[in-house]
Amino acid sequence: MSQRETWATRVGFILAAVGSAVGLGNIWQFPFQTGANGGAAFIVVYLAAVFLIGFPAMLAEFVVGRRAERNPIDAFARLGHRNWKIVGVLGTLSAFWILSFYSVVGGWVVRYVLGSATGAYFSGSEAYFGAISAGPEAVGFHAVFMALTVGVVALGVTDGIERSTKLMVPSIVILLGGLAVWAGTLEGGAAGYAYYLSPDVDVLLANLGSILPAAVGQAFFTLSLGMGAMITYASYLGRDDSLPVDGATIVVLNTFVGLLAGLVVFPILFSLGIEPGSGGLGAAFITLAGAFAQLPAGRFLGVGFFVVLLLAALSSAISLLEVVTTYLVDNTDRSRSTLAVALGAAIFALGVPSALGVPILSWYNAIAYNLLLPLSVLTLLLFVGWADTDDAVAELRRGTDLSEGGAVAWLWFVRTLVPLGVLATLLLGLQSLAVKAGLLAAPLV
Ligand code: PHE
């Protein structure tokens, strides 16, 4: 086994983690989740979920990863808790599973970059989506996206992931910022801001039962929790910088990019009189692409937007592939590049059914969202809060001037409020799986 790599710089780690966090979840899913769940009211709950539940959970992953300096599966034995290995197994399997369909959507995005340049979807965005989202071509673009992901991971932690995210993350922010400024000049776009930025308390209270799990699930997904990704990235730290400061920076930047995406999407839709909120996996592609088709310089904007989406998706996908790759790098004598290619091929194969039918993709997604993620986060929280307790507190304090009291406060969050929130989400998630499978006619709560 060769010497384990570490990040070259602190900023490198932060940007890699932001790259993981900022993904399809922020730019594609977040604005549309917001639309489907009543606009600004959703954002209030989402922000609470990010800071009160997601942030402490992220620190829990960091604490495990930095101290173990191992892949998520072997980390627990390293920390002297062999029995908790299942937590790492769950996370790693989730990463494998999620990347399989994330890459299919990544393939759609590649296709839309090209389609924007040629104006291919301009004559009918719905028909275009129907034609490209499933079938042999979707499989082909899924392969292209996976190949890009494999290419970065094969190059290694510093030369591949750190270098590429250092370029990708600033590009995402700059391009998206530019698009937001431009969207601000659209006539009639202001209604979009109001919808997006001023919460309606009645809507919030009336729909809390459905808003809550959506918001918590979205918070985990967007912060890349429950998939071993943050454990893995923290395992390459090899340095003693403050985890709370780094974690807060990552959470804030990720939230900022999500909100910025909304500042692009909503003015565009409202300026054309399109109501956001029609759900469904294809909604973002169909409605937004439809909007680009109607706007002046639409090709240009379309390319800009979908390039942002592509960079965001890629910098997330590499963190998912890294989770599985690092396990084999730690446990075999094969080279990283061989392993990355082999795993990429296996995950590609798992994703083929999703590329052949959007309903299948939607199932893969629902299983990940409603079952794998909450279960994996919950078990990790139980481990950190109830098994690793004192060592976790000490690790959180390493390299900080955080008082013991501060660290203990975090611990109590991790032991109580956060797992309860996750448990509620898990139960509601199972219920929505049951509804989707036709086992339940309607949600009970
Ligand atoms: N956070 C990513 C997004 O918002 C998804 C992701 C989850 C990436 C877990 C890596 C690990 O799209």
Side-chain angles (χ1 to χ4, degrees):
M1 201 190 319
S2 52
Q3 175 72 31
R4 193 176 175 78
E5 275 190 90
T6 55
W7 303 110
T9 61
R10 182 178 189 178
V11 174
F13 161 65
I14 293 177
L15 289 183
V18 172
S20 172
V22 169
L24 295 171
N26 304 59
I27 299 169
W28 169 52
Q29 205 160 276
F30 172 67
F32 286 85
Q33 281 264 19
T34 305
N37 286 292
F42 173 79
I43 298 186
V44 175
V45 184
Y46 167 76
L47 289 178
V50 161
F51 287 97
L52 295 178
I53 296 185
F55 178 51
M58 176 183 274
L59 293 182
E61 292 209 6
F62 282 172
V63 158
V64 169
R66 183 171 74 174
R67 190 152 59 92
E69 296 188 321
R70 267 286 166 284
N71 64 80
I73 294 184
D74 296 325
F76 296 87
R78 265 268 176 141
L79 301 180
H81 297 277
R82 197 168 293 281
N83 297 339
W84 288 84
K85 185 174 179 175
I86 181 70
V87 181
V89 172
L90 256 179
T92 307
L93 286 179
S94 306
F96 198 92
W97 178 262
I98 290 176
L99 183 52
S100 79
F101 63 86
Y102 202 86
S103 168
V104 173
V105 181
W108 296 351
V109 179
V110 175
R111 185 68 189 258
Y112 269 86
V113 172
L114 305 176
S116 306
T118 60
Y121 55 71
F122 279 36
S123 57
S125 67
E126 188 150 7
Y128 184 78
F129 180 76
I132 69 104
S133 56
E137 289 184 36
V139 174
F141 280 94
H142 165 43
V144 169
F145 184 83
M146 190 60 90
L148 293 172
T149 309
V150 167
V152 175
V153 170
L155 289 174
V157 178
T158 36
D159 290 345
I161 301 177
E162 186 167 354
R163 259 214 219 153
S164 65
T165 48
K166 246 184 182 161
L167 277 176
M168 287 195 273
V169 172
S171 313
I172 292 168
V173 175
I174 293 169
L175 283 172
L176 205 55
L179 286 170
V181 169
W182 165 81
T185 64
L186 289 173
E187 208 170 311
Y193 294 129
Y195 172 79
Y196 179 52
L197 299 173
S198 46
D200 180 336
V201 182
D202 293 335
V203 171
L204 180 65
L205 293 179
N207 299 297
L208 203 56
S210 62
I211 290 183
L212 197 64
V216 176
Q218 175 69 20
F220 288 152
F221 189 79
T222 188
L223 294 175
S224 300
L225 300 175
M227 282 160 266
M230 291 302 174
I231 297 181
T232 301
Y233 275 12
S235 79
Y236 300 126
L237 271 169
R239 48 202 307 132
D240 279 356
D241 298 316
S242 164
L243 291 179
V245 170
D246 288 6
T249 312
I250 293 160
V251 170
V252 168
L253 278 173
N254 177 63
T255 307
F256 171 75
V257 173
L259 294 174
L260 197 56
L263 292 181
V264 175
V265 170
F266 290 110
I268 292 182
L269 296 184
F270 276 79
S271 76
L272 295 169
I274 304 170
E275 266 289 311
S278 48
L281 283 169
F285 288 96
I286 297 169
T287 15
L288 261 183
F292 292 139
Q294 296 177 45
L295 290 165
R299 290 189 187 197
F300 195 68
L301 295 166
V303 171
F305 181 83
F306 286 111
V307 164
V308 169
L309 204 52
L310 181 59
L311 295 175
L314 189 59
S315 59
S316 298
I318 59 180
S319 71
L320 288 168
L321 184 59
E322 181 60 20
V323 172
V324 252
T325 306
T326 192
Y327 174 66
L328 293 184
V329 168
D330 282 348
N331 286 287
T332 66
D333 291 328
R334 306 263 168 181
S335 71
R336 162 180 279 273
S337 45
T338 309
L339 294 169
V341 171
L343 285 167
I347 297 172
F348 165 76
L350 179 64
V352 167
S354 295
L356 292 175
V358 176
I360 301 178
L361 193 154
S362 156
W363 262 107
Y364 271 57
N365 186 38
I367 291 171
Y369 230 76
N370 295 312
L371 179 67
L372 294 175
L373 289 191
L375 197 59
S376 160
V377 176
L378 184 63
T379 51
L380 180 92
L381 291 165
L382 295 178
F383 168 72
V384 169
W386 297 92
D388 199 40
T389 324
D390 296 339
D391 288 335
V393 167
E395 181 64 28
L396 186 74
R397 293 185 68 200
R398 188 150 72 88
T400 67
D401 43 24
L402 185 69
S403 68
E404 171 122 35
V408 169
W410 165 76
L411 180 70
W412 277 99
F413 248 75
V414 167
R415 294 186 114 173
T416 55
L417 179 78
V418 185
L420 285 176
V422 180
L423 187 64
T425 308
L426 178 61
L427 295 176
L428 290 163
L430 289 176
Q431 166 175 279
S432 78
L433 273 184
V435 172
K436 192 171 161 74
L439 300 172
L440 263 183
L444 307 171
V445 284

